[in-house]
Amino acid sequence: MTYDPTGHLLLTPVDQEAPARVRRLRELGLGERPEPAFDEFAHRLAEVTGAPFSMVNFIDEHRQFFAGLHTPTGTHSGSDLNAAAGGNVGRYMDRDHGYCPHVVVRRKALVLEDVCDYPRFAGNPVVDEIGIRSYMGAPLIDRTGIALGTICVVDTDVRPWGRAGLETIKSLAAELVEQIHRREDGLI
């Protein structure tokens, strides 16, 4: 685990499963290029949750890759998020930025209605650099038991996601995992 030397807060969890995840993502042909099907899924995720930003995120040892991305203008470049961040956000993000690495390691959905309410998460670089105030994500655990990544939604405003939001994000994650399995089986 990494700690902020000044505050001793947990920043990014140690990810023992990363090498196995990278091998599995390569087997599936995922995590190295944007995919229209994942962009469409991210768009649907945004519509269902009402969030301005949504992602299908695959994580390796060093970075996160948004294979699916939705922004308020409907672009898939992350330019809206760039504007909020003053530039520098696109399809890739460092592993120590954001909350998806926590979801992957915990293997459980995470709902942060106001990230600033949680000292452990309030110091994450996405708060100051991008202005993220709320997050909701769920792991994509495939048939081999590996957490491939996440689906997530974020907002620059506080959002009362509640239990309904938690159930929605978990249900949509299960749906995307099934889509990935059908793809692997050659059914789509």
Side-chain angles (χ1 to χ4, degrees):
M1 294 183 188
T2 57
Y3 294 88
D4 176 344
T6 59
H8 303 292
L9 295 175
L10 173 67
L11 296 176
T12 304
V14 173
D15 185 358
Q16 302 291 339
E17 193 176 69
R21 176 180 316 105
V22 169
R23 283 191 300 276
R24 181 67 176 141
L25 288 169
R26 285 187 183 133
E27 281 176 21
L28 294 168
L30 298 175
E32 296 189 13
R33 66 187 175 285
E35 299 200 20
F38 293 147
D39 283 337
E40 290 171 23
F41 192 90
H43 176 73
R44 191 167 135 245
L45 181 58
E47 283 185 330
V48 168
T49 63
F53 302 98
S54 59
M55 298 87 160
V56 174
N57 186 8
F58 298 114
I59 302 171
D60 66 21
E61 293 104 326
H62 308 290
R63 67 182 184 185
Q64 303 173 67
F65 175 69
F66 305 131
L69 178 63
H70 172 82
T71 66
T73 63
T75 66
H76 303 298
S77 67
S79 59
D80 289 343
L81 208 47
N82 281 342
N88 229 10
V89 176
R91 290 276 183 170
Y92 294 95
M93 185 178 284
D94 288 340
R95 193 178 165 280
D96 64 348
H97 283 55
Y99 309 105
C100 290
H102 295 272
V103 170
V104 165
V105 170
R106 291 169 22 122
R107 304 172 63 82
K108 292 169 53 175
L110 177 64
V111 176
L112 302 170
E113 294 180 343
D114 183 349
V115 298
C116 294
D117 286 345
Y118 303 89
R120 170 182 187 173
F121 297 118
N124 193 286
V126 299
V127 175
D128 291 332
E129 293 175 16
I130 301 173
I132 299 301
R133 285 299 301 270
S134 60
Y135 168 91
M136 182 168 58
L140 300 170
I141 301 173
D142 87 335
R143 60 176 59 142
T144 67
I146 293 175
L148 302 173
T150 67
I151 61 169
C152 70
V153 294
V154 297
D155 200 333
T156 55
D157 293 320
V158 173
R159 295 289 299 263
W161 305 110
R163 177 153 304 281
L166 174 65
E167 295 307 317
T168 297
I169 199 83
K170 288 167 52 175
S171 173
L172 288 166
E175 182 182 317
L176 185 58
V177 167
E178 285 306 311
Q179 182 179 330
I180 291 168
H181 290 163
R182 286 192 310 273
R183 172 182 158 153
E184 181 181 27
D185 295 341
L187 300 175
I188 57 172

